[in-house]
Amino acid sequence: MAYSIDNRLPRRVYAHASPLSQGGTSLFDAGAITADNAEDFVSEDAVVREAERELTAAGFTVLDSGPATLNIAGPPEAYQRYFETVLVTEEREVIQPGAVDLRRTRTFIDTAKADLPGLISTKGLPAARFLEGVALEQPATTLRGGAGILPDPDFWYLTTEDVAEYLGARRVHDEERITGAGVRLTMVDTGWENHPYFDERKVGGRVVLGPGAADPEIDEDGHGTSESANAFAMAPGVDFTMVKALETNLLGGFVTAARQQPRPQIISMSLEYHRKSPPLEAIDQALSVAVSLAVRDGIVVVCAGGNGHFAFPAQHPDVIAVGGVHRTESGRLEASNYASAFTSALYAGRTVPDVCGLVGMRPDATYILLPTPRGSTIDQEQAKKAQDGTTPGDGWALLSGTSAAAPQVAGACALLLEVDPRLTPRDVREVLERTARGVDEGWSNQDTGGLSARAGATGHGLLRADAAVDLLRGRTG
């Protein structure tokens, strides 16, 4: 149900204004946007400057300027007044992070008469002289599993050392001395805090604030800190950056990541929009341009495929979409019934996932022991929901989900780029797919169709970092 302006609307609304595209077609009227045609939707500098001036004069804050969009923020009244529209809210049911069997509602913002979901049209307005439309940001979801304090030692779980061992990175580190050294890996997530875990392993990095984010030393949610440990397990030598992004300004965080200097070689993202069927919403089209331009510029983009979600931008054909495989205590491999697998209805022939990392099983995917900031949301609230008798408060969490699998794969990408920095994003994906270990047992998450392993639940299979490095080295067998 939609509502006109009331207390459901936030005081500050984030959006992405698109100055006129140099190719002559609005990105909101385009079909599929990929690395092959993304340049058409870049805006000329003079148009961008005019848009910045006009929007600022109208009372908006221009947070950042990307190649195709301006990240803006302002009160709902400013949007309604300047664009002669009415903002409405809609409560939509979404999967609750860390509990695929639970649902909650989130507030989505739209206009009363949108040509495209989430689009503010400029047709017939003075702003049409320099703007082709404005995409309203929508709440993104973190793709984590459940969490809790380290339980009784008899409870079986994985450590990050196990992750490195079972995905073939340990041998690459020990025998090849390949650690991803110097490869620039950026995560777009909730932030990053230092932890004794990182100090003990002599790993770490820097935090860059995405538009609207604050407090670079604090990760209030804990998700980014926890999931980064998966990347460090696979590639402890990476040059690591965390872009702290608001879940209500995901595109702003991605654009910040892609525009760093020097440019990142890999971007890993475990935040997503849920998009089951067409059409793509306005914000999706804007994100498609940003992702496509990043890949065109040689950045490997790795995205979590979803925990029962039809995750976007994991569905985008230019990214590496990551699913989940569960390794049992006896070493048997099966598709994770927590992780998504599906054929995209948005892009013809696109299937998710491409490859898989290690993910737990329903109901909570409680699986990998990871560091988390003491007092963070994960450290407290998620632990209370776990079914393993844990209690919150010690700065550790048992969790997984495709949020864990994506940085595992991103870390493996760093190993490959250390071996051969000339690899293109397409090269990296092909190497990972060719060397993945096929999985024949299990089923994917029933919320995305419950595919069997033989029908594509795990894509090309479980990541094997050592086999991928061997292939680059020209070794077989």
Side-chain angles (χ1 to χ4, degrees):
M1 181 177 181
Y3 301 82
S4 61
I5 238 184
D6 62 12
N7 60 10
R8 293 176 183 269
L9 282 167
R11 294 180 180 178
R12 186 174 171 89
V13 174
Y14 294 96
H16 299 269
S18 179
L20 300 178
S21 296
Q22 64 182 7
T25 298
S26 166
L27 67 86
F28 303 116
D29 294 329
I33 300 173
T34 68
D36 294 330
N37 65 349
E39 187 68 27
D40 291 342
F41 305 100
V42 172
S43 305
E44 295 180 354
D45 290 343
V47 177
V48 173
R49 289 194 296 270
E50 182 180 6
E52 289 177 335
R53 288 194 303 270
E54 294 292 336
L55 290 168
T56 300
F60 296 99
T61 300
V62 178
L63 300 171
D64 197 11
S65 175
T69 56
L70 298 174
N71 192 183
I72 64 174
E77 294 84 355
Y79 289 90
Q80 294 192 125
R81 181 181 62 252
Y82 186 68
F83 295 109
E84 300 179 13
T85 190
V86 175
L87 296 187
V88 297
T89 61
E90 181 181 0
E91 298 301 302
R92 301 182 192 172
E93 187 179 78
V94 297
I95 296 173
Q96 184 165 303
V100 297
D101 294 324
L102 298 178
R103 299 293 187 269
R104 64 172 176 173
T105 59
R106 299 288 301 277
T107 301
F108 290 73
I109 305 173
D110 208 339
T111 60
K113 296 180 180 179
D115 296 332
L116 186 71
L119 174 66
I120 297 176
S121 175
T122 58
K123 294 176 181 177
L125 299 178
R129 186 179 71 254
F130 52 87
L131 284 184
E132 57 196 18
V134 178
L136 291 162
E137 263 288 1
Q138 306 296 350
T141 301
T142 55
L143 298 179
R144 64 174 179 261
I149 297 174
L150 176 63
D152 186 290
D154 291 336
F155 182 89
W156 182 73
Y157 58 90
L158 300 185
T159 66
T160 53
E161 286 74 19
D162 293 329
V163 168
E165 175 72 26
Y166 298 152
L167 296 180
R170 176 75 63 81
R171 179 173 75 80
V172 174
H173 302 162
D174 294 345
E175 298 181 12
E176 304 279 344
R177 302 302 179 193
I178 296 169
T179 62
V183 176
R184 297 182 297 279
L185 169 60
T186 295
M187 288 183 65
V188 180
D189 216 299
T190 63
W192 189 84
E193 284 189 39
N194 205 1
H195 187 284
Y197 170 95
F198 302 116
D199 289 335
E200 290 169 6
R201 290 160 178 77
K202 297 181 173 58
V203 298
R206 67 192 67 81
V207 177
V208 174
L209 293 177
D215 300 322
E217 299 84 10
I218 300 173
D219 178 8
E220 297 89 346
D221 183 272
H223 183 264
T225 300
S226 297
E227 304 303 1
S228 73
N230 290 281
F232 286 123
M234 297 296 294
V238 292
D239 181 351
F240 179 79
T241 299
M242 171 65 71
V243 172
K244 183 178 181 180
L246 298 180
E247 65 174 17
T248 52
N249 197 7
L250 176 58
L251 174 54
F254 186 89
V255 171
T256 297
R259 291 175 59 232
Q260 292 175 88
Q261 293 298 327
R263 180 180 295 146
Q265 293 164 273
I266 306 160
I267 295 176
S268 178
M269 191 159 67
S270 295
L271 303 174
E272 59 88 37
Y273 302 122
H274 177 68
R275 301 291 184 257
K276 183 177 181 179
S277 57
L280 284 171
E281 298 196 6
I283 193 63
D284 304 329
Q285 287 292 82
L287 181 54
S288 292
V289 175
V291 167
S292 298
L293 289 172
V295 173
R296 181 208 62 179
D297 290 340
I299 300 173
V300 178
V301 179
V302 181
C303 295
N307 305 331
H309 313 78
F310 290 84
F312 184 87
Q315 296 179 59
H316 194 282
D318 288 333
V319 310
I320 298 174
V322 183
V325 167
H326 181 250
R327 186 185 190 276
T328 68
E329 189 171 5
S330 66
R332 182 173 57 86
L333 299 180
E334 59 186 327
S336 166
N337 62 9
Y338 193 85
S340 297
F342 56 93
T343 297
S344 173
L346 306 175
Y347 299 96
R350 176 62 165 139
T351 58
V352 173
D354 296 308
V355 295
C356 291
L358 292 167
V359 175
M361 301 290 278
R362 294 174 80 109
D364 301 311
T366 303
Y367 193 41
I368 308 171
L369 182 64
L370 298 171
T372 192
R374 291 177 68 94
S376 64
T377 297
I378 285 179
D379 195 30
Q380 296 187 80
E381 295 181 3
Q382 288 301 114
K384 297 175 185 176
K385 301 174 186 176
Q387 302 300 310
D388 54 18
T390 65
T391 56
D394 74 346
W396 291 91
L398 280 164
L399 65 157
S400 62
T402 54
S403 273
Q408 292 166 16
V409 171
C413 293
L415 302 179
L416 299 184
L417 287 170
E418 181 185 353
V419 174
D420 186 353
R422 300 167 300 176
L423 294 173
T424 67
R426 182 171 296 179
D427 293 336
V428 171
R429 178 159 65 180
E430 288 179 354
V431 170
L432 295 179
E433 290 176 347
R434 287 178 60 187
T435 56
R437 180 177 177 180
V439 177
D440 296 327
E441 298 183 37
W443 301 77
S444 63
N445 196 304
Q446 63 186 19
D447 289 337
T448 53
L451 295 179
S452 70
R454 294 181 184 275
T458 63
H460 287 78
L462 181 63
L463 169 70
R464 291 195 304 161
D466 50 355
V469 169
D470 285 345
L471 179 63
L472 288 185
R473 297 286 204 198
R475 295 189 293 255
T476 59

